[in-house]
Amino acid sequence: MVNLAPSSLFSRLWLVLVIVLPLLVEAQSYNPLAAAMAPRERPKRQPTYSGKVEPINMNEGFTMLIATYNRTHLLEPLLSHLTTTPPPSLKHILIIWQNVGVPLPPFLNHTTLRTRYADASVKVSVRISKVNSMNERFRPQLDWSEDIETEAVMIMDDDVVLRRDALEWGYQEFRKVTPLGGDFKTGRIVGFTGRDVNQVDGEWKYVVQPRREYSMVLSNAAWLRKDWLRVYWNRQEEVTGLRNYVDEVFNCDDLLINFLVSNWTHTPPLLLQPHTPLRTIPGTGLWTRAASSSDHTASLPVGKNVPTSTPSKVGDSKKPKLDHFTQRKHCLAKFLDHFGAFAVSVNSTSPHYPLVKTSIAVTETGSETTDVVDHARWMFPGEGWEETDFKPPAEMYPAEEFTDETMDGDDVEYWDREIDDMTDEEVDAFLKALNDEAEKERVERERRGSGGGGGFPVGLETLRMTSEERDKYIEELERETEGMSDEEIERHLEWKTEVFMKREREELEAKEKGKGRGVGKAGGEL
């Protein structure tokens, strides 16, 4: 007779086979991405990544992830800024070293970090990437064997400057809308740079400068749940394919994380409008496109001679590289097509599912605002990182006038070619002239009684006009658009700008063909 007493070997084996083994199988088969893609299906158990739900200490703070490539000179002052009287909730700074095969600088080696920040309230550590991939900044690991400790994570670019009080305020806003420790299908991405998507004549358009609403925030400075990063790095074939696409085009990782989170939570992100706007430390290139981790720096002209793509074993391809903004339009089309397949499961008829549009942002005073414009700008020479009301000298001029939704791929290519043969001094003079024209336009709108929100937003086509020609052109536009809605006016202006850009490109191509024939100093053909 077999002994079935609890102490018997058979009994223990029976318990393992009947009770423990099914639980292990269930735990291993649970796929958080699949759950995210089917939001109406609720598993019997509350899904978590640790196997159980435990209360989260809401005062634990956040970990800041800063990926860096070829901008080592920015890191030391950035770390000094963040660790000198740091934001109270900033607990850990993780530098993600993307310079594969390049030794760490002395100030980032283990010994220096351990001694320099021994008495600081903020830990500083480095994770050395095995490959230069834009996906790496979303990897939720301190190193290759230890997970990030905090549930809240902030992704920040290495050339971004935000006041320390703005960082603390941003984290507190993230806490308000993202209940950590509960259902990880709740919460919102919270950040400082809004973007949107629209469909014009059947084509998806990437809106760099939203004016009324937004549906994404860039991860150049944004808070996310650690759970979302785990989903981003899920090994399921579907999300692996999306990450591989990001590697292929070396772009759009920040768009992908917005699509994943919105598909999961069905909520829009939250845009922050701080008193002192997000500032970017100028780089060393004319159009720092694929080398930058977001499109804010990609759209601002600052110098010359930067390659149009970052050297990388992941990003390199024999296929010709698209310019930054054209590539992002391609990414939007791919992601909208991919995630649109899940709209039926949630009865969504939105053409831009899963993205959710909103017109509400939050100011640092705690009030809501409908101002969703991107006020980010370059950091001026001599401007302190903690200054609140820096007044640049008159000869300095902001470059963000050109961070506009009209700056699509064709426009970027046009301006690239327009200034390709200029010296640095000529580029500076050219850009100053353009910004002077933009300032004249602003003054003209105020003179016409438009205030801050009205007036006629003329485009690039007026930059070479005299003041009399501009007045006549604006009067003509006012007649053409009389009785139109705001949306119709926008479409009309976009069409006018496209016609202008096409004509300019044709003239430029004609000039280049003339150069190709070879014209001597005396004007004769060689």
Side-chain angles (χ1 to χ4, degrees), residues 22 37 76 123 127 137 157 165 167 170 197-198 201 222-223 278 283 326 353 359 362 371 392 395 403 444 454 469 506:
M37 297 303 185
E76 198 161 15
K123 297 179 183 178
R127 189 183 76 216
R137 61 175 169 168
D157 284 359
D165 54 5
L167 290 170
V197 57
N198 281 328
D201 297 329
W223 282 268
L278 180 149
T326 300
Y353 180 88
S359 59
V362 179
D371 174 18
E395 64 269 16
T403 310
E444 179 65 19
E469 290 171 334
E506 289 173 349

Side-chain angles (χ1 to χ4, degrees), residues 154-324:
M154 183 187 188
I155 311 293
M156 195 166 91
D157 284 359
D158 57 1
D159 60 347
V160 162
V161 175
L162 285 161
R163 284 174 46 85
R164 292 186 287 262
D165 54 5
L167 290 170
E168 181 63 26
W169 162 66
Y171 170 67
Q172 298 302 331
E173 291 296 331
F174 174 73
R175 282 181 52 181
K176 291 178 184 177
V177 298
T178 307
L180 303 178
D183 186 350
F184 53 79
K185 290 184 182 178
T186 60
R188 302 167 72 178
I189 300 179
V190 175
F192 294 88
T193 309
R195 295 291 185 262
D196 199 16
V197 57
N198 281 328
Q199 195 170 30
V200 179
D201 297 329
E203 183 180 36
W204 290 112
K205 178 179 179 181
Y206 179 57
V207 182
V208 177
Q209 186 60 286
R211 292 188 174 91
R212 295 182 181 85
E213 54 187 6
Y214 63 97
S215 54
M216 297 174 282
V217 293
L218 297 184
S219 51
N220 60 343
W223 282 268
L224 304 96
R225 299 183 67 142
K226 180 171 63 176
D227 292 336
W228 298 337
L229 304 190
R230 284 170 169 157
V231 172
Y232 190 94
W233 277 97
N234 187 282
R235 293 185 179 181
Q236 188 188 28
E237 181 180 354
E238 182 174 14
V239 74
T240 299
L242 293 170
R243 288 200 312 273
N244 289 344
Y245 176 75
V246 167
D247 282 336
E248 177 186 341
V249 301
F250 210 71
N251 203 328
C252 306
D253 55 313
D254 48 354
L255 305 188
L256 177 57
I257 193 69
N258 275 274
F259 274 82
L260 281 170
V261 173
S262 292
N263 187 65
W264 204 349
T265 64
H266 308 298
T267 57
L270 178 62
L271 176 64
L272 305 174
Q273 295 286 26
H275 175 70
T276 303
L278 180 149
R279 292 157 292 165
T280 300
I281 301 174
T284 55
L286 177 60
W287 301 98
T288 52
R289 275 195 288 269
S292 67
S293 52
S294 73
D295 57 73
H296 175 65
T297 51
S299 62
L300 303 181
V302 292
K304 293 195 77 171
N305 303 324
V306 161
T308 58
S309 62
T310 301
S312 167
K313 291 182 180 179
V314 169
D316 286 348
S317 172
K318 293 182 179 179
K319 294 191 300 184
K321 299 290 185 183
L322 299 175
D323 69 76
H324 179 82

Side-chain angles (χ1 to χ4, degrees), residues 335-356:
F335 295 158
L336 287 163
D337 179 66
H338 177 88
F339 287 92
F342 302 102
V344 176
S345 66
V346 292
N347 298 322
S348 173
T349 59
S350 169
H352 44 74
Y353 180 88
L355 299 179
V356 181

Side-chain angles (χ1 to χ4, degrees), residues 19-239:
I19 299 177
V20 179
L21 187 59
L23 291 177
L24 291 175
V25 171
E26 179 183 352
Q28 291 181 359
S29 63
Y30 173 67
N31 189 318
L33 181 71
M37 297 303 185
R40 283 186 173 270
E41 296 180 8
R42 298 289 183 179
K44 295 180 180 179
R45 294 182 171 212
Q46 172 65 45
T48 69
Y49 294 101
S50 61
K52 59 181 179 179
V53 176
E54 294 190 5
I56 299 298
N57 179 6
M58 293 303 288
N59 297 317
E60 70 168 3
F62 66 96
T63 300
M64 180 182 289
L65 275 59
I66 304 174
T68 184
Y69 178 85
N70 256 8
R71 291 196 286 224
T72 307
H73 63 287
L74 300 180
L75 290 177
E76 198 161 15
L78 177 59
L79 287 174
S80 176
H81 173 245
L82 293 172
T83 57
T84 303
T85 316
S89 297
L90 176 58
K91 303 303 180 184
H92 200 138
I93 299 172
L94 176 65
I95 303 297
I96 304 170
W97 185 254
Q98 295 283 82
N99 300 280
V100 179
V102 178
L104 292 173
F107 72 90
L108 285 182
N109 67 43
H110 179 70
T111 302
T112 304
L113 293 180
R114 185 176 56 187
T115 55
R116 180 176 293 185
Y117 304 106
D119 299 326
S121 61
V122 180
K123 297 179 183 178
V124 180
S125 58
V126 178
R127 189 183 76 216
I128 300 176
S129 294
K130 299 176 182 178
V131 65
N132 181 22
S133 165
M134 301 187 82
N135 291 310
E136 287 298 321
R137 61 175 169 168
F138 296 124
R139 189 183 290 275
Q141 292 177 306
L142 292 176
D143 54 32
W144 297 98
S145 60
E146 182 182 0
D147 283 349
I148 291 171
E149 296 173 344
T150 62
E151 291 300 311
V153 176
M154 183 187 188
I155 311 293
M156 195 166 91
D157 284 359
D158 57 1
D159 60 347
V160 162
V161 175
L162 285 161
R163 284 174 46 85
R164 292 186 287 262
D165 54 5
L167 290 170
E168 181 63 26
W169 162 66
Y171 170 67
Q172 298 302 331
E173 291 296 331
F174 174 73
R175 282 181 52 181
K176 291 178 184 177
V177 298
T178 307
L180 303 178
D183 186 350
F184 53 79
K185 290 184 182 178
T186 60
R188 302 167 72 178
I189 300 179
V190 175
F192 294 88
T193 309
R195 295 291 185 262
D196 199 16
V197 57
N198 281 328
Q199 195 170 30
V200 179
D201 297 329
E203 183 180 36
W204 290 112
K205 178 179 179 181
Y206 179 57
V207 182
V208 177
Q209 186 60 286
R211 292 188 174 91
R212 295 182 181 85
E213 54 187 6
Y214 63 97
S215 54
M216 297 174 282
V217 293
L218 297 184
S219 51
N220 60 343
W223 282 268
L224 304 96
R225 299 183 67 142
K226 180 171 63 176
D227 292 336
W228 298 337
L229 304 190
R230 284 170 169 157
V231 172
Y232 190 94
W233 277 97
N234 187 282
R235 293 185 179 181
Q236 188 188 28
E237 181 180 354
E238 182 174 14
V239 74

